[in-house]
C-alpha cells in the first residue's frame, strides 16, 4: 500500500503549483481522437492477454516526462499479457523497481473483480476480492487520469484555458490532434498552451506552456524564477519485445511470481 500512496502524491504534486478549480471540458467536444473513456479502454485492451479483449497482444508502454519550474518528474504506465504497471521518479533519476507497482485483474461471474497486487518485499501477489471496481478505475481513473489525459482536464488546472482543435499532425511518430489554449485570469492572458493528443488512445503526447510577460512578472514578484514552467512529452511504445519488458524495473520478478 505504501507504493500507492507514494505514486498518488507524486502525481498530485506535479500540478500543485498550477492547480486552479474549473470545469472539465466535455469529451463529446473532442471529435478527432477517441474520447477519454474509449482511450483508456483501448490502452487496457492493448495490454491485455490474447483473447477477445486484446487488440493485438503486443502490449503498451507510456513514459511521461514533466518539467515543472525546473523540477523533473517521470511517470511510466504499461501493460502486457494483462500484467499492468505504474512507476514514478523525480529529479530526472531513472525509475527503480522500488518505485514500481504491478497489478492484474480477473472479472468474476458475479460482476465483481479480483485485483491482485504484487508485493516485491514478499515476492508474491496479494489478492483483493469482491471489488466493484476494475484496473481502469483504480489505475487509470485514480492515478494517471490527469497525466495521460491532460487535454480533458485543462480548465481544472488552468482556469479559462479551453482547448481548441487546431490541426491533425504527427507527433512522436503518432497521428495526433493538435489543440491550442490560452490561460487567462481576470481577463489577463497568462500563457499560451499547445497539446498533441494521440488519436487512437487519447494519450497526451506533448504539451508546451509559454508564459506571458505578465505571468513572468507575477513569478518574479513572488520570488520565483520561471524557467520551463511546464514542459511535457510522452513516448508510446505499442510493440513490447522481450528486451523492452526486461527494461521495465521489477517486471521480471512480478511476472515470474504471477505463475
Amino acid at each position: 500500500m505504501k507504493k500507492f500512496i507514494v505514486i498518488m502524491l507524486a502525481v498530485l504534486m506535479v500540478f500543485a503549483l498550477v492547480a486552479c478549480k474549473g470545469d472539465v471540458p466535455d469529451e463529446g467536444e473532442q471529435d478527432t481522437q477517441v474520447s477519454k473513456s474509449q482511450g483508456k479502454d483501448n490502452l487496457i485492451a492493448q495490454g491485455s492477454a490474447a483473447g477477445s479483449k486484446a487488440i493485438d497482444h503486443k502490449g503498451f508502454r507510456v513514459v511521461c516526462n514533466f518539467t515543472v519550474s525546473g523540477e523533473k518528474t517521470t511517470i511510466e504506465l504499461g501493460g502486457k499479457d494483462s500484467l499492468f504497471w505504474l512507476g514514478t521518479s523525480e529529479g530526472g533519476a531513472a525509475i527503480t523497481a522500488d518505485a514500481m507497482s504491478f497489478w492484474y485483474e480477473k472479472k468474476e461471474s458475479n460482476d465483481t473483480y479480483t485485483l491482485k497486487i504484487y508485493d516485491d518485499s514478499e515476492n508474491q501477489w496479494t489478492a483483493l476480492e469482491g471489488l466493484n471496481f476494475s484496473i481502469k478505475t483504480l489505475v487509470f481513473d485514480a492515478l494517471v487520469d490527469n497525466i495521460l489525459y491532460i487535454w480533458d482536464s485543462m480548465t481544472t488546472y488552468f482556469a479559462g484555458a479551453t482547448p481548441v482543435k487546431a490541426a491533425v499532425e504527427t507527433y512522436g511518430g503518432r497521428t495526433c490532434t493538435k489543440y491550442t489554449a490560452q490561460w487567462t485570469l481576470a481577463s489577463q492572458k497568462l500563457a499560451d498552451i499547445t497539446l498533441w493528443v494521440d488519436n487512437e488512445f487519447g494519450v497526451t503526447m506533448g504539451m508546451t506552456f509559454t508564459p506571458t510577460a505578465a505571468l513572468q512578472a507575477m513569478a518574479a514578484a513572488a520570488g520565483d524564477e520561471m524557467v520551463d514552467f511546464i514542459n511535457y512529452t510522452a513516448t508510446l511504445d505499442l510493440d513490447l519485445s522481450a528486451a523492452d519488458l526486461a527494461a521495465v524495473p521489477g517486471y521480471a520478478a512480478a511476472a515470474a511470481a504471477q505463475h
Side-chain angles (χ1 to χ4, degrees), residues 183-258:
W183 182 27
T184 60
L185 185 63
S187 299
Q188 185 174 36
K189 179 180 173 182
L190 299 180
D192 289 302
I193 304 169
T194 305
L195 307 99
W196 289 265
V197 182
D198 183 81
N199 283 2
E200 183 179 5
F201 295 97
V203 172
T204 306
M205 297 296 295
M207 179 177 76
T208 60
F209 180 101
T210 306
T212 63
L215 185 56
Q216 294 275 14
M218 290 170 61
D224 296 326
E225 181 181 359
M226 185 174 295
V227 180
D228 270 345
F229 185 66
I230 299 177
N231 187 43
Y232 166 94
T233 59
T235 59
L236 177 58
D237 187 348
L238 297 170
D239 188 1
L240 301 185
S241 65
D244 293 329
L245 294 172
V248 177
Y251 179 87
Q258 185 178 0

Side-chain angles (χ1 to χ4, degrees), residues 127-209:
L128 303 176
E129 300 176 341
L131 302 178
N132 61 0
F133 57 84
S134 65
I135 279 181
K136 179 180 178 180
T137 300
L138 174 68
V139 180
F140 287 76
D141 287 354
L143 295 181
V144 300
D145 187 55
N146 295 328
I147 302 299
L148 296 184
Y149 303 97
I150 304 169
W151 56 270
D152 189 68
S153 306
M154 283 294 295
T155 57
T156 302
Y157 305 119
F158 308 101
T162 302
V164 176
K165 185 174 70 174
V168 175
E169 297 181 350
T170 299
Y171 187 97
R174 300 287 300 169
T175 300
C176 295
T177 299
K178 177 182 177 180
Y179 292 93
T180 59
Q182 293 184 349
W183 182 27
T184 60
L185 185 63
S187 299
Q188 185 174 36
K189 179 180 173 182
L190 299 180
D192 289 302
I193 304 169
T194 305
L195 307 99
W196 289 265
V197 182
D198 183 81
N199 283 2
E200 183 179 5
F201 295 97
V203 172
T204 306
M205 297 296 295
M207 179 177 76
T208 60
F209 180 101

Side-chain angles (χ1 to χ4, degrees), residues 54-93:
I55 293 179
D56 61 12
H57 328 315
K58 295 181 179 180
F60 75 93
R61 188 182 186 191
V62 186
V63 179
C64 309
N65 291 289
F66 287 87
T67 302
V68 180
S69 296
E71 296 295 324
K72 294 182 179 180
T73 299
T74 299
I75 296 172
E76 173 176 332
L77 174 69
K80 174 70 172 177
D81 296 331
S82 296
L83 176 57
F84 295 88
W85 63 88
L86 176 66
T88 184
S89 71
E90 297 181 354

